[in-house]
Amino acid sequence: MTLADELRRRILILDGGMGTEIQKSGLQYDGNNDALPMTHPELIRSIHSSYVEAGADIICTCSFGANAVSQQGYCMTDKIRELNIAAAHAAREAADACIERKVWVMGSMGPTSKSLTIIELMMDPSETLDYDGLERAYEEQADALIEGGVDGFIVETITDLRNAEAALSAIKKVQERRRVNLPVMISATLMNVGACLMTGSSVQDFITFASSYNPVSIGLNCSFGAKDMIPHIKEIAETAKCAVSVYPNAGMPTSHGYDDTPCDTAEAVESMAKAGLINIAGGCCGTTPEHIREIADRLRDITPRPIGQ
């Protein structure tokens, strides 16, 4: 059964925060999470496994910033292929160890550390990154993720539609070259409850843009807590012809961590599910296996949002 078929049958559970769990491990490192599948594969594999055990049907590779643009600051631009293959392998091993159900591995591709829209507006002559260069960086990442064995891609935490265009175009080119057709999830992040991306695009702008790539799902992640995402997910659910995903932060960060408990997050996600708004639900920054377990428990018997109507 394909991912698209399964999404018509039930609400699928996405994993939760990777960085949150890495920080909890107490590991001393340089802050480059995307290098850890290569340097500490057992840690990343165990985090993936904890989410699978909590009920995740979809896990995302630890490769959010494993591209040549984001890795410049860590002097690891020559290790992009190795980073992504290692990330895919760690997730693949955790997914394949689950014998009770199918677990999909989606290759995570983040927005990078630079915004093309801002670069183009500033017209800074010292800035060398352009659209073609970013697309090539994403092609390198996407190709390595496929080689590592992912089931699809998740272009996530989109803050700039120009960056997302480069990522999605790169994925399309790589898939055509490799003669594969893996599903793609697309997820944006809003700057505030006023509902716009960092570069000013509205939710409707995002829906129109994302829909043109025929994704398996469109949704929102990160930003803020689940409760504040409800009206924006409703807007997407009323328009999108594909599945709708939501994976919010565990509320807003405070001096002692994020402020939404597993029950807080799950209660708001459950209300979206009962309203027929979502097909995929999980968590982002600050969420833990406990958040995902609570979401999975509450959504188990809820009918998914109809797709394509």
Side-chain angles (χ1 to χ4, degrees):
M1 184 176 291
T2 67
L3 179 58
D5 290 336
E6 190 71 358
L7 286 168
R8 296 176 187 277
R9 193 174 72 85
R10 63 188 178 96
I11 297 176
L12 295 185
I13 306 301
L14 190 71
D15 60 9
M18 173 60 74
T20 305
E21 295 302 291
I22 291 171
Q23 291 170 9
K24 283 166 57 177
S25 75
L27 179 69
Q28 299 298 310
Y29 68 113
D30 64 359
N32 187 6
N33 289 351
D34 303 293
L36 297 181
M38 189 169 68
T39 61
H40 294 78
E42 68 292 336
L43 171 62
I44 302 305
R45 188 166 52 249
S46 70
I47 292 172
H48 286 312
S49 295
S50 70
Y51 281 118
V52 172
E53 291 167 4
D57 302 297
I58 303 170
I59 57 176
C60 305
T61 58
C62 183
S63 58
F64 182 82
N67 59 75
V69 176
S70 296
Q71 288 298 313
Q72 285 178 347
Y74 295 105
C75 300
M76 294 192 72
T77 56
D78 61 335
K79 299 292 184 183
I80 301 304
R81 179 162 293 277
E82 292 93 330
L83 294 179
N84 284 281
I85 290 175
H89 284 174
R92 184 82 270 156
E93 289 172 10
D96 292 346
C98 181
I99 60 175
E100 296 87 9
R101 65 188 190 282
K102 165 73 174 177
V103 176
W104 282 267
V105 173
M106 304 302 279
S108 170
M109 298 172 67
T112 82
S113 53
K114 295 183 179 182
S115 162
L116 281 179
T117 295
I118 292 175
I119 289 171
E120 290 163 357
L121 286 173
M122 295 296 291
M123 293 187 293
D124 183 352
S126 66
E127 179 55 68
T128 59
L129 182 67
D130 58 13
Y131 179 90
D132 290 341
L134 182 55
E135 186 181 54
R136 286 193 298 272
Y138 279 130
E139 280 191 59
E140 182 182 24
Q141 181 179 24
D143 191 71
L145 287 167
I146 291 177
E147 185 174 334
V150 298
D151 296 310
F153 297 94
I154 182 164
V155 179
E156 58 181 335
T157 320
I158 294 171
T159 57
D160 181 346
L161 297 186
R162 284 283 284 158
N163 283 46
E165 179 185 358
L168 292 164
S169 176
I171 290 170
K172 182 178 180 180
K173 287 183 176 181
V174 171
Q175 298 220 67
E176 288 175 349
R177 188 162 63 241
R178 283 185 170 264
R179 297 183 180 181
V180 296
N181 185 25
L182 305 179
V184 180
M185 299 172 62
I186 304 177
S187 183
T189 185
L190 303 178
M191 284 295 291
N192 50 53
V193 293
C196 68
L197 278 63
M198 179 185 72
T199 48
S201 301
S202 68
V203 172
Q204 281 300 320
D205 291 335
F206 166 64
I207 296 169
T208 301
F209 163 81
S211 297
S212 68
Y213 287 90
N214 193 31
V216 71
S217 69
I218 296 172
L220 298 175
N221 73 287
C222 206
S223 303
F224 29 73
K227 184 177 180 181
D228 288 328
M229 276 195 179
I230 294 174
H232 312 305
I233 290 295
K234 185 174 185 293
E235 184 176 358
I236 294 174
E238 289 173 345
T239 306
K241 300 301 182 184
C242 60
V244 173
S245 68
V246 61
Y247 51 116
N249 288 347
M252 300 300 290
T254 67
S255 59
H256 58 274
Y258 286 81
D259 56 10
D260 278 8
T261 67
C263 285
D264 293 333
T265 299
E267 182 176 355
V269 171
E270 182 182 19
S271 71
M272 295 184 223
K274 287 183 174 179
L277 302 181
I278 58 174
N279 305 91
I280 302 170
C284 200
C285 304
T287 59
T288 66
E290 288 70 34
H291 287 78
I292 300 309
R293 181 172 290 106
E294 187 69 24
I295 291 170
D297 287 346
R298 290 182 183 236
L299 271 55
R300 183 170 291 112
D301 298 320
I302 300 178
T303 302
R305 168 186 168 274
I307 297 175
Q309 297 183 4

